[in-house]
Amino acid sequence: MPELPEDQPQPVRGVQIPKPGGTGMRQLGIPTVADRLVQQAMLQVLEPILDPTFSASSYGFRSGRGAHDALAAARQYVADGRTVVVDIDLEKFFDKVNHDILMARLGRWVGDKRMLRIIGRFLRAGLMQDGVCVSREEGTPQGGPLSPLLANLLLDDLDKELERRGHSFCRYADDCNIYVASQAAGERVLASVAGFLEGKLRLRVNRDKSAVAPVVGRKFLGHRLLPGGRLGIAPQSLERAKERLRRLTRRNRGVSIEQVIGEANAFLTGWVAYFRFAECKTHLQRLDEWVRRKLRCLRLKQCRRAKPIADFLHRLGVPKWRAWIGALSGKGWWRLSGSPPAQEGMSSAWFESLGLVSLSQRYAQLNR
């Protein structure tokens, strides 16, 4: 057992980040370096005790498990005929965890009173926001090493209840999907599970975002589940990717196109690897075309005026008269980036020479 300090933990630094899709802000709580080290030491002791007791249908924040494992299980449920999903959304889960209930669950497995006391202090440590320290009576803000383990511990009660009822489900952190065979069955499950969460665990179910629907109409971990258990990319995931790329290719950033391509590559390689099991070849081809056009737009804007644009396109092999026709067209930057002279000069081969990742090619390589 590691030596634990008796001092009160320092307030965590509150940081708010936008949620995906612009649906609000997510509250993070960043501990001090010393408190993070203590939490990490406690995690190394607690994880081997608690993790083996968790449900096989829990996939988030667990060693040797991940999003693709959860998706594989969900695909099998759909392939077996459970084509309706009960999609449960917990309202501000990490901010609404009841400390007394959580400590009671922890006390089932941990007999060391001193460790329980220290964890309780970490849970109650203040939140420093805009120079003001706010006391906390509930919640375990994301950002500390212990928070994911404690979240899984609390929600393991939900997992065990779903197993007791014989449901087929996948839970990734606070994202829980239950797969059933009909809409009527799903409505009954949603009502009873919401009652369990709100009554026994004191968690709030977001009635507006929770739903019972065919699996093709909902998303899970950024994917859509398709008939037969196939995977696709959720439209929201594509739009978030494009929003990220829009920020990288802003025309007023004042950085070279080579730097922008390097930053885009760092994002795109990880993004396409995550979605490598989805059926998305056509989507990736269109996204490749869109990325190249955004980069053309950026590079043309950097030329600023007609003569530098014509000279630049001519250097890339466009006949001089065609380069001048494009430069003097009077079109806006986006329309100009889609013109034949711009596409001829800044071709796919030109972008390949600059090292731009092709999503469709990388996808094909990953699926060989």
Side-chain angles (χ1 to χ4, degrees), residues 61-86:
F61 307 125
R62 299 185 65 187
S63 178
R65 288 171 161 252
H68 289 146
D69 300 303
L71 289 164
R75 293 175 69 179
Q76 188 59 55
Y77 294 144
V78 175
D80 290 342
R82 299 177 181 88
T83 57
V84 174
V85 62
V86 182

Side-chain angles (χ1 to χ4, degrees), residues 282-316:
T282 301
H283 288 303
L284 296 182
Q285 290 172 342
R286 290 173 180 168
L287 190 56
D288 273 334
E289 294 169 0
W290 184 84
V291 170
R292 288 194 294 267
R293 185 166 179 180
K294 289 292 291 183
L295 291 170
R296 289 189 192 105
C297 194
L298 170 66
R299 187 63 185 88
L300 291 169
K301 177 71 181 294
Q302 290 175 342
C303 293
R304 301 180 68 84
R305 291 182 294 275
K307 187 177 187 308
I309 291 174
D311 291 343
F312 170 65
L313 293 176
H314 183 53
R315 287 197 303 272
L316 295 180

Side-chain angles (χ1 to χ4, degrees), residues 296 313 316-319 322 339-348 350:
R296 289 189 192 105
L313 293 176
L316 295 180
V318 179
R322 281 171 55 78
S339 67
Q343 293 186 18
E344 180 182 345
M346 292 177 281
S347 63
S348 299
W350 182 74

Side-chain angles (χ1 to χ4, degrees), residues 52-347:
T53 70
F54 293 158
S55 167
S57 296
S58 168
Y59 297 92
F61 307 125
R62 299 185 65 187
S63 178
R65 288 171 161 252
H68 289 146
D69 300 303
L71 289 164
R75 293 175 69 179
Q76 188 59 55
Y77 294 144
V78 175
D80 290 342
R82 299 177 181 88
T83 57
V84 174
V85 62
V86 182
D87 188 353
I88 298 176
D89 184 89
L90 296 175
E91 184 177 340
K92 296 183 177 179
F93 167 71
F94 283 92
D95 298 333
K96 300 299 182 183
V97 169
N98 184 285
H99 289 173
D100 292 336
I101 293 176
L102 176 57
M103 292 305 297
R105 301 304 184 268
L106 191 59
R108 295 173 180 173
W109 303 101
V110 179
D112 189 315
K113 302 297 184 184
R114 189 178 176 206
M115 176 171 276
L116 292 173
R117 184 167 62 250
I118 296 297
I119 292 175
R121 289 177 177 176
F122 276 121
L123 290 174
R124 295 188 298 273
L127 181 72
M128 187 65 71
Q129 190 85 48
D130 298 326
V132 178
C133 185
V134 180
S135 62
R136 287 192 293 132
E137 302 300 328
E138 61 181 2
T140 170
Q142 301 174 73
L146 272 178
S147 291
L149 181 67
L150 296 178
N152 272 335
L153 174 64
L154 181 63
L155 289 174
D156 191 58
D157 272 22
L158 170 64
D159 298 340
K160 295 299 194 293
E161 179 66 15
L162 294 176
E163 289 176 347
R164 186 186 68 80
R165 299 182 186 185
H167 290 307
S168 300
F169 70 98
C170 296
R171 183 177 64 78
Y172 193 95
D174 58 335
D175 193 353
C176 183
N177 279 4
I178 306 168
Y179 298 90
V180 296
S182 69
Q183 183 76 19
E187 298 289 352
R188 291 194 299 270
V189 169
L190 177 58
S192 62
V193 171
F196 174 85
L197 287 166
E198 294 174 342
K200 188 166 185 179
L201 298 183
R202 307 282 180 85
L203 297 172
R204 299 178 187 174
V205 175
N206 190 324
R207 307 285 177 168
D208 294 330
K209 294 184 179 180
S210 298
V212 178
V215 291
V216 295
R218 305 293 291 181
K219 65 181 179 69
F220 182 48
L221 300 177
H223 292 71
R224 291 177 65 207
L225 283 157
L226 304 174
R230 296 174 296 119
L231 282 180
I233 300 181
Q236 300 94 321
S237 298
L238 285 168
E239 186 53 41
R240 283 200 294 271
K242 292 177 78 170
E243 184 56 38
R244 174 76 174 270
L245 292 164
R246 285 188 187 100
R247 292 197 296 270
L248 291 177
T249 57
R250 287 197 314 270
R251 287 168 278 173
N252 59 355
R253 289 189 62 199
V255 299
S256 69
I257 192 168
E258 289 81 7
Q259 179 178 333
V260 173
I261 286 175
E263 294 172 356
N265 283 346
F267 167 69
L268 292 171
T269 51
W271 187 85
V272 73
Y274 179 73
F275 287 104
R276 65 186 180 273
F277 298 119
E279 298 180 8
C280 56
K281 183 178 178 181
T282 301
H283 288 303
L284 296 182
Q285 290 172 342
R286 290 173 180 168
L287 190 56
D288 273 334
E289 294 169 0
W290 184 84
V291 170
R292 288 194 294 267
R293 185 166 179 180
K294 289 292 291 183
L295 291 170
R296 289 189 192 105
C297 194
L298 170 66
R299 187 63 185 88
L300 291 169
K301 177 71 181 294
Q302 290 175 342
C303 293
R304 301 180 68 84
R305 291 182 294 275
K307 187 177 187 308
I309 291 174
D311 291 343
F312 170 65
L313 293 176
H314 183 53
R315 287 197 303 272
L316 295 180
V318 179
K320 195 167 186 177
W321 65 274
R322 281 171 55 78
W324 273 105
I325 287 176
L328 295 172
S329 67
K331 297 177 180 178
W333 298 113
W334 180 249
R335 289 186 62 197
L336 182 58
S337 67
S339 67
Q343 293 186 18
E344 180 182 345
M346 292 177 281
S347 63

